Amino acid sequence: MQWDLGIQGLAVLAAMSLGFGIVAGLLVGGGFSHRGWATAITAVACFGAGLLASEVWFGWATEEDLQPNIGGLSRDEVLLSSVLTTVIVVVVMRWVSRRARRHETSGIAADDRRGGRPVRRG
């Protein structure tokens, strides 16, 4: 593998990742903290997936082989991997928050377990 991603490609990847992170934060719902976590997790995951897509999976491609290529960044492939990553993060975070809300409304607190049996509040 030859590293061909330049400063411009990294900047575009970072901007795209942050954009997808913001979209995930808006889609995931919940409070400010939950949205912030979704934004951060998605931005980091999209950046990693973008590096993997551009440098490992399509690292062989040159500007002539794969268009458009911005500063060594395989833009179309990175966009696709970022969309998939964002969808996965949003679905997982919505599922986790739904389970947490269901657990809270059932009256069972995770820290109120005695002898392995849940204690109902009342």
Side-chain angles (χ1 to χ4, degrees):
M1 179 182 93
Q2 181 181 350
W3 182 268
D4 64 344
L5 193 58
I7 297 295
Q8 182 184 10
L10 281 172
V12 170
L13 178 58
M16 287 171 42
S17 299
L18 183 59
F20 278 106
I22 291 169
V23 168
L26 294 173
L27 292 176
V28 80
F32 182 74
S33 171
H34 193 68
R35 289 177 188 266
W37 275 109
T39 301
I41 290 168
T42 304
V44 170
C46 285
F47 192 82
L51 282 176
L52 201 67
S54 186
E55 294 302 310
V56 176
W57 293 328
F58 295 96
W60 53 266
T62 64
E63 289 187 27
E64 295 80 29
D65 296 329
L66 196 62
Q67 293 294 331
N69 193 317
I70 302 169
L73 181 73
S74 304
R75 192 185 72 184
D76 291 344
E77 289 73 20
V78 170
L79 282 172
L80 178 62
S81 67
S82 293
V83 167
L84 294 174
T85 302
T86 301
V87 168
I88 291 168
V89 170
V90 168
V91 167
V92 168
M93 288 198 74
R94 288 180 70 106
W95 179 75
V96 167
S97 74
R98 200 170 25 249
R99 285 194 71 203
R101 273 194 306 263
R102 192 176 314 135
H103 187 69
E104 287 173 3
T105 59
S106 71
I108 300 172
D111 58 348
D112 284 345
R113 295 183 183 272
R114 294 186 189 133
R117 304 178 94 193
V119 176
R120 293 212 175 257
R121 291 185 179 173

